[in-house]
Short mmCIF file of all heavy atoms in Angstrom, two decimals:
data_model
loop_
_atom_site.label_atom_id
_atom_site.label_comp_id
_atom_site.label_asym_id
_atom_site.label_seq_id
_atom_site.Cartn_x
_atom_site.Cartn_y
_atom_site.Cartn_z
N MET T 1 -8.80 6.43 16.44
CA MET T 1 -9.84 6.15 15.46
C MET T 1 -9.18 5.47 14.29
O MET T 1 -8.20 5.99 13.73
CB MET T 1 -10.50 7.46 15.06
CG MET T 1 -11.80 7.21 14.34
SD MET T 1 -12.78 8.72 14.44
CE MET T 1 -12.74 9.20 12.73
N ASP T 2 -9.66 4.32 13.88
CA ASP T 2 -9.10 3.56 12.79
C ASP T 2 -10.03 3.63 11.58
O ASP T 2 -11.22 3.95 11.69
CB ASP T 2 -8.94 2.12 13.16
CG ASP T 2 -7.89 1.93 14.28
OD1 ASP T 2 -6.95 2.73 14.31
OD2 ASP T 2 -8.08 1.00 15.07
N ALA T 3 -9.48 3.38 10.38
CA ALA T 3 -10.27 3.35 9.18
C ALA T 3 -9.99 2.07 8.43
O ALA T 3 -8.97 1.39 8.71
CB ALA T 3 -9.89 4.56 8.28
N SER T 4 -10.83 1.70 7.52
CA SER T 4 -10.64 0.52 6.68
C SER T 4 -9.78 0.86 5.46
O SER T 4 -9.82 2.01 4.98
CB SER T 4 -11.98 -0.03 6.22
OG SER T 4 -12.76 -0.42 7.31
N PHE T 5 -9.05 -0.11 5.00
CA PHE T 5 -8.25 0.06 3.77
C PHE T 5 -8.50 -1.16 2.90
O PHE T 5 -8.24 -2.28 3.34
CB PHE T 5 -6.76 0.18 4.11
CG PHE T 5 -5.89 0.29 2.91
CD1 PHE T 5 -5.87 1.46 2.11
CD2 PHE T 5 -5.03 -0.74 2.52
CE1 PHE T 5 -5.04 1.57 1.02
CE2 PHE T 5 -4.21 -0.62 1.40
CZ PHE T 5 -4.24 0.52 0.65
N VAL T 6 -9.04 -0.92 1.76
CA VAL T 6 -9.36 -2.02 0.80
C VAL T 6 -8.60 -1.72 -0.47
O VAL T 6 -8.61 -0.59 -0.97
CB VAL T 6 -10.87 -2.08 0.48
CG1 VAL T 6 -11.16 -3.17 -0.51
CG2 VAL T 6 -11.65 -2.32 1.78
N ILE T 7 -7.88 -2.72 -0.97
CA ILE T 7 -7.08 -2.60 -2.19
C ILE T 7 -7.42 -3.75 -3.09
O ILE T 7 -7.54 -4.88 -2.64
CB ILE T 7 -5.61 -2.46 -1.90
CG1 ILE T 7 -4.83 -2.09 -3.11
CG2 ILE T 7 -5.07 -3.67 -1.21
CD1 ILE T 7 -3.38 -1.71 -2.84
N HIS T 8 -7.62 -3.49 -4.40
CA HIS T 8 -8.03 -4.54 -5.32
C HIS T 8 -7.45 -4.19 -6.69
O HIS T 8 -7.36 -3.04 -7.06
CB HIS T 8 -9.54 -4.60 -5.38
CG HIS T 8 -10.05 -5.54 -6.41
ND1 HIS T 8 -10.07 -6.90 -6.17
CD2 HIS T 8 -10.54 -5.36 -7.65
CE1 HIS T 8 -10.56 -7.53 -7.27
NE2 HIS T 8 -10.83 -6.58 -8.16
N GLY T 9 -7.08 -5.19 -7.43
CA GLY T 9 -6.60 -4.99 -8.81
C GLY T 9 -5.73 -6.15 -9.25
O GLY T 9 -5.45 -7.10 -8.48
N PRO T 10 -5.30 -6.11 -10.51
CA PRO T 10 -4.57 -7.22 -11.10
C PRO T 10 -3.15 -7.45 -10.46
O PRO T 10 -2.61 -8.52 -10.55
CB PRO T 10 -4.41 -6.85 -12.57
CG PRO T 10 -4.64 -5.40 -12.62
CD PRO T 10 -5.56 -5.05 -11.48
N SER T 11 -2.61 -6.43 -9.81
CA SER T 11 -1.28 -6.54 -9.18
C SER T 11 -1.35 -6.84 -7.69
O SER T 11 -0.35 -6.86 -7.00
CB SER T 11 -0.51 -5.27 -9.38
OG SER T 11 -0.30 -5.02 -10.76
N ILE T 12 -2.55 -7.10 -7.19
CA ILE T 12 -2.78 -7.30 -5.75
C ILE T 12 -3.06 -8.77 -5.46
O ILE T 12 -3.87 -9.42 -6.17
CB ILE T 12 -3.94 -6.45 -5.23
CG1 ILE T 12 -3.74 -4.95 -5.60
CG2 ILE T 12 -4.16 -6.63 -3.77
CD1 ILE T 12 -2.42 -4.36 -5.06
N LYS T 13 -2.42 -9.32 -4.44
CA LYS T 13 -2.65 -10.69 -4.04
C LYS T 13 -4.05 -10.80 -3.40
O LYS T 13 -4.32 -10.11 -2.43
CB LYS T 13 -1.61 -11.16 -2.98
CG LYS T 13 -0.23 -11.30 -3.47
CD LYS T 13 0.67 -11.74 -2.31
CE LYS T 13 2.11 -11.47 -2.60
NZ LYS T 13 2.97 -11.67 -1.43
N PRO T 14 -4.90 -11.67 -3.91
CA PRO T 14 -6.22 -11.77 -3.34
C PRO T 14 -6.21 -12.41 -1.94
O PRO T 14 -5.38 -13.31 -1.67
CB PRO T 14 -6.97 -12.70 -4.32
CG PRO T 14 -5.99 -13.10 -5.35
CD PRO T 14 -4.71 -12.48 -5.08
N GLY T 15 -7.04 -11.89 -1.08
CA GLY T 15 -7.17 -12.45 0.24
C GLY T 15 -6.07 -12.14 1.24
O GLY T 15 -6.09 -12.62 2.36
N THR T 16 -5.15 -11.26 0.86
CA THR T 16 -4.06 -10.92 1.77
C THR T 16 -4.58 -10.01 2.89
O THR T 16 -5.27 -9.03 2.59
CB THR T 16 -2.95 -10.19 0.99
OG1 THR T 16 -2.47 -11.02 -0.06
CG2 THR T 16 -1.78 -9.81 1.91
N GLU T 17 -4.24 -10.32 4.10
CA GLU T 17 -4.57 -9.46 5.22
C GLU T 17 -3.31 -8.81 5.70
O GLU T 17 -2.25 -9.38 5.76
CB GLU T 17 -5.18 -10.28 6.36
CG GLU T 17 -6.53 -10.87 5.99
CD GLU T 17 -7.19 -11.57 7.14
OE1 GLU T 17 -6.88 -11.21 8.29
OE2 GLU T 17 -8.03 -12.43 6.89
N ILE T 18 -3.44 -7.48 5.99
CA ILE T 18 -2.28 -6.73 6.47
C ILE T 18 -2.54 -6.18 7.88
O ILE T 18 -3.68 -6.08 8.30
CB ILE T 18 -1.93 -5.54 5.49
CG1 ILE T 18 -3.18 -4.65 5.26
CG2 ILE T 18 -1.43 -6.07 4.18
CD1 ILE T 18 -2.89 -3.45 4.39
N GLU T 19 -1.45 -5.89 8.54
CA GLU T 19 -1.51 -5.34 9.88
C GLU T 19 -1.99 -3.89 9.78
O GLU T 19 -2.23 -3.36 8.72
CB GLU T 19 -0.18 -5.46 10.58
CG GLU T 19 0.89 -4.56 9.94
CD GLU T 19 1.51 -5.08 8.65
OE1 GLU T 19 1.29 -6.20 8.22
OE2 GLU T 19 2.21 -4.26 7.98
N LEU T 20 -2.08 -3.27 10.93
CA LEU T 20 -2.46 -1.87 10.99
C LEU T 20 -1.47 -1.04 10.18
O LEU T 20 -0.24 -1.22 10.32
CB LEU T 20 -2.44 -1.42 12.44
CG LEU T 20 -2.96 -0.04 12.76
CD1 LEU T 20 -4.47 0.04 12.44
CD2 LEU T 20 -2.75 0.31 14.20
N ILE T 21 -2.00 -0.16 9.34
CA ILE T 21 -1.11 0.68 8.53
C ILE T 21 -1.37 2.15 8.84
O ILE T 21 -2.39 2.48 9.38
CB ILE T 21 -1.30 0.44 7.01
CG1 ILE T 21 -2.68 0.84 6.54
CG2 ILE T 21 -1.01 -1.03 6.68
CD1 ILE T 21 -2.84 0.91 5.05
N SER T 22 -0.46 2.97 8.38
CA SER T 22 -0.62 4.42 8.51
C SER T 22 -1.22 4.97 7.24
O SER T 22 -0.97 4.44 6.14
CB SER T 22 0.73 5.03 8.81
OG SER T 22 0.66 6.44 8.73
N ASN T 23 -1.92 6.08 7.35
CA ASN T 23 -2.44 6.74 6.12
C ASN T 23 -1.28 7.17 5.21
O ASN T 23 -1.49 7.29 4.00
CB ASN T 23 -3.27 7.99 6.51
CG ASN T 23 -4.67 7.62 6.95
OD1 ASN T 23 -5.18 6.53 6.61
ND2 ASN T 23 -5.28 8.48 7.71
N THR T 24 -0.10 7.38 5.80
CA THR T 24 1.02 7.77 4.97
C THR T 24 1.57 6.63 4.07
O THR T 24 2.40 6.85 3.21
CB THR T 24 2.18 8.32 5.81
OG1 THR T 24 2.57 7.30 6.75
CG2 THR T 24 1.75 9.59 6.58
N ASP T 25 1.07 5.38 4.31
CA ASP T 25 1.48 4.25 3.50
C ASP T 25 0.69 4.16 2.18
O ASP T 25 1.12 3.47 1.25
CB ASP T 25 1.34 2.96 4.28
CG ASP T 25 2.18 2.90 5.53
OD1 ASP T 25 3.22 3.59 5.57
OD2 ASP T 25 1.82 2.14 6.43
N VAL T 26 -0.44 4.81 2.11
CA VAL T 26 -1.32 4.70 0.95
C VAL T 26 -0.69 5.29 -0.31
O VAL T 26 -0.65 4.65 -1.38
CB VAL T 26 -2.69 5.33 1.25
CG1 VAL T 26 -3.58 5.26 0.01
CG2 VAL T 26 -3.38 4.60 2.41
N ALA T 27 -0.17 6.51 -0.25
CA ALA T 27 0.38 7.16 -1.39
C ALA T 27 1.61 6.43 -1.98
O ALA T 27 1.70 6.22 -3.21
CB ALA T 27 0.73 8.63 -1.11
N PRO T 28 2.58 6.02 -1.16
CA PRO T 28 3.72 5.28 -1.69
C PRO T 28 3.30 3.96 -2.34
O PRO T 28 3.89 3.52 -3.35
CB PRO T 28 4.65 5.04 -0.52
CG PRO T 28 4.26 6.02 0.51
CD PRO T 28 2.81 6.33 0.27
N THR T 29 2.30 3.33 -1.76
CA THR T 29 1.80 2.05 -2.35
C THR T 29 1.15 2.31 -3.69
O THR T 29 1.42 1.62 -4.68
CB THR T 29 0.83 1.35 -1.39
OG1 THR T 29 1.49 1.13 -0.12
CG2 THR T 29 0.32 0.07 -1.96
N ALA T 30 0.30 3.31 -3.80
CA ALA T 30 -0.34 3.66 -5.08
C ALA T 30 0.71 4.06 -6.08
O ALA T 30 0.58 3.68 -7.27
CB ALA T 30 -1.37 4.75 -4.84
N ALA T 31 1.70 4.83 -5.67
CA ALA T 31 2.77 5.23 -6.61
C ALA T 31 3.49 4.03 -7.15
O ALA T 31 3.79 3.98 -8.37
CB ALA T 31 3.71 6.22 -5.89
N GLN T 32 3.81 3.07 -6.29
CA GLN T 32 4.53 1.88 -6.78
C GLN T 32 3.67 1.11 -7.79
O GLN T 32 4.17 0.65 -8.82
CB GLN T 32 4.76 0.97 -5.56
CG GLN T 32 5.43 -0.36 -5.87
CD GLN T 32 6.90 -0.23 -6.12
OE1 GLN T 32 7.53 0.66 -5.57
NE2 GLN T 32 7.46 -1.10 -6.94
N LEU T 33 2.38 1.01 -7.53
CA LEU T 33 1.50 0.30 -8.47
C LEU T 33 1.36 1.05 -9.80
O LEU T 33 1.17 0.41 -10.85
CB LEU T 33 0.10 0.15 -7.83
CG LEU T 33 0.04 -0.85 -6.71
CD1 LEU T 33 -1.29 -0.71 -5.97
CD2 LEU T 33 0.23 -2.27 -7.20
N LEU T 34 1.51 2.33 -9.78
CA LEU T 34 1.42 3.16 -11.00
C LEU T 34 2.78 3.40 -11.63
O LEU T 34 2.88 4.18 -12.62
CB LEU T 34 0.75 4.51 -10.66
CG LEU T 34 -0.70 4.38 -10.21
CD1 LEU T 34 -1.19 5.73 -9.68
CD2 LEU T 34 -1.61 3.92 -11.33
N SER T 35 3.83 2.83 -11.08
CA SER T 35 5.21 3.01 -11.54
C SER T 35 5.66 4.46 -11.49
O SER T 35 6.33 4.96 -12.39
CB SER T 35 5.38 2.43 -12.98
OG SER T 35 5.11 1.08 -12.99
N VAL T 36 5.23 5.16 -10.45
CA VAL T 36 5.59 6.53 -10.22
C VAL T 36 6.58 6.55 -9.04
O VAL T 36 6.33 5.95 -8.02
CB VAL T 36 4.37 7.39 -9.89
CG1 VAL T 36 4.76 8.82 -9.53
CG2 VAL T 36 3.39 7.37 -11.06
N GLU T 37 7.69 7.26 -9.18
CA GLU T 37 8.68 7.34 -8.13
C GLU T 37 8.36 8.42 -7.11
O GLU T 37 8.03 9.56 -7.47
CB GLU T 37 10.06 7.62 -8.73
CG GLU T 37 11.19 7.58 -7.73
CD GLU T 37 12.53 7.76 -8.37
OE1 GLU T 37 12.64 7.79 -9.62
OE2 GLU T 37 13.53 7.92 -7.64
N MET T 38 8.33 8.06 -5.85
CA MET T 38 8.15 8.98 -4.79
C MET T 38 9.36 8.97 -3.89
O MET T 38 9.73 7.94 -3.37
CB MET T 38 6.90 8.66 -3.95
CG MET T 38 5.61 8.90 -4.65
SD MET T 38 4.16 8.71 -3.51
CE MET T 38 4.32 10.20 -2.54
N LYS T 39 10.03 10.11 -3.73
CA LYS T 39 11.23 10.18 -2.91
C LYS T 39 10.90 10.93 -1.62
O LYS T 39 10.05 11.82 -1.58
CB LYS T 39 12.34 10.90 -3.67
CG LYS T 39 12.81 10.16 -4.89
CD LYS T 39 13.94 10.93 -5.53
CE LYS T 39 14.43 10.21 -6.77
NZ LYS T 39 15.53 10.92 -7.40
N ASN T 40 11.65 10.55 -0.56
CA ASN T 40 11.59 11.27 0.70
C ASN T 40 10.19 11.41 1.27
O ASN T 40 9.73 12.48 1.62
CB ASN T 40 12.22 12.68 0.58
CG ASN T 40 13.64 12.60 0.11
OD1 ASN T 40 14.40 11.72 0.52
ND2 ASN T 40 14.02 13.46 -0.80
N VAL T 41 9.46 10.25 1.35
CA VAL T 41 8.12 10.27 1.94
C VAL T 41 8.17 9.56 3.29
O VAL T 41 9.06 8.72 3.55
CB VAL T 41 7.10 9.56 0.99
CG1 VAL T 41 6.94 10.38 -0.26
CG2 VAL T 41 7.50 8.14 0.72
N ASP T 42 7.24 9.83 4.14
CA ASP T 42 7.19 9.22 5.44
C ASP T 42 6.63 7.82 5.42
O ASP T 42 6.95 7.00 6.25
CB ASP T 42 6.30 10.09 6.40
CG ASP T 42 6.96 11.39 6.72
OD1 ASP T 42 8.20 11.47 6.71
OD2 ASP T 42 6.24 12.35 7.02
N GLY T 43 5.75 7.50 4.48
CA GLY T 43 5.10 6.21 4.42
C GLY T 43 6.00 5.16 3.77
O GLY T 43 7.11 5.41 3.28
N ARG T 44 5.46 3.90 3.75
CA ARG T 44 6.18 2.78 3.13
C ARG T 44 5.28 2.12 2.09
O ARG T 44 4.04 2.24 2.16
CB ARG T 44 6.58 1.77 4.20
CG ARG T 44 5.37 1.17 4.91
CD ARG T 44 5.73 0.35 6.14
NE ARG T 44 4.58 0.02 6.91
CZ ARG T 44 3.94 -1.14 6.78
NH1 ARG T 44 4.33 -2.07 5.93
NH2 ARG T 44 2.86 -1.39 7.53
N VAL T 45 5.85 1.40 1.21
CA VAL T 45 5.12 0.62 0.21
C VAL T 45 4.67 -0.65 0.89
O VAL T 45 5.45 -1.37 1.51
CB VAL T 45 5.96 0.29 -1.04
CG1 VAL T 45 5.25 -0.58 -2.00
CG2 VAL T 45 6.41 1.61 -1.71
N LEU T 46 3.40 -1.00 0.74
CA LEU T 46 2.84 -2.22 1.32
C LEU T 46 3.11 -3.38 0.38
O LEU T 46 2.23 -3.91 -0.31
CB LEU T 46 1.36 -2.06 1.60
CG LEU T 46 1.00 -0.87 2.52
CD1 LEU T 46 -0.52 -0.70 2.51
CD2 LEU T 46 1.54 -1.11 3.91
N THR T 47 4.34 -3.84 0.36
CA THR T 47 4.79 -4.89 -0.58
C THR T 47 4.12 -6.22 -0.29
O THR T 47 3.97 -7.04 -1.23
CB THR T 47 6.30 -5.10 -0.51
OG1 THR T 47 6.67 -5.37 0.83
CG2 THR T 47 7.02 -3.86 -1.02
N LYS T 48 3.61 -6.45 0.90
CA LYS T 48 2.98 -7.69 1.23
C LYS T 48 1.74 -7.97 0.39
O LYS T 48 1.38 -9.09 0.14
CB LYS T 48 2.58 -7.70 2.73
CG LYS T 48 1.94 -8.96 3.22
CD LYS T 48 1.65 -8.88 4.70
CE LYS T 48 0.99 -10.19 5.17
NZ LYS T 48 0.68 -10.12 6.58
N VAL T 49 1.06 -6.92 -0.09
CA VAL T 49 -0.18 -7.08 -0.83
C VAL T 49 0.07 -7.24 -2.32
O VAL T 49 -0.88 -7.54 -3.07
CB VAL T 49 -1.15 -5.95 -0.59
CG1 VAL T 49 -1.53 -5.83 0.89
CG2 VAL T 49 -0.65 -4.62 -1.11
N MET T 50 1.28 -7.00 -2.80
CA MET T 50 1.57 -7.01 -4.20
C MET T 50 2.04 -8.35 -4.70
O MET T 50 2.74 -9.09 -3.99
CB MET T 50 2.63 -5.94 -4.53
CG MET T 50 2.14 -4.57 -4.22
SD MET T 50 3.36 -3.38 -4.73
CE MET T 50 2.62 -1.91 -4.07
N MET T 51 1.66 -8.70 -5.91
CA MET T 51 2.07 -9.95 -6.53
C MET T 51 3.51 -9.86 -6.98
O MET T 51 4.08 -8.96 -7.25
CB MET T 51 1.21 -10.29 -7.71
CG MET T 51 -0.21 -10.59 -7.29
SD MET T 51 -1.20 -11.11 -8.66
CE MET T 51 -1.64 -12.73 -8.15
#
């Protein structure tokens, strides 16, 4: 079962399409955007969507 992931904001590249991601990628990506450090997490930062 898949879900949609929509991200929008001043630090996000408009119109960028990303491949299938894991739910564990959402928190590290949000942390990066908020300048919060997350250590030892399973997910990855979705740098492709960031300016």
Side-chain angles (χ1 to χ4, degrees):
M1 196 159 110
D2 296 327
S4 298
F5 177 71
V6 178
I7 188 168
H8 176 78
S11 298
I12 306 302
K13 292 181 199 170
T16 303
E17 293 187 25
I18 54 175
E19 67 283 349
L20 188 65
I21 66 167
S22 172
N23 282 337
T24 59
D25 298 334
V26 176
T29 302
Q32 177 79 27
L33 290 167
L34 296 169
S35 299
V36 175
E37 186 175 351
M38 289 189 74
K39 295 182 180 181
N40 303 319
V41 295
D42 290 332
R44 61 189 171 96
V45 176
L46 302 172
T47 55
K48 182 177 179 181
V49 301
M50 297 184 188
M51 293 184 118

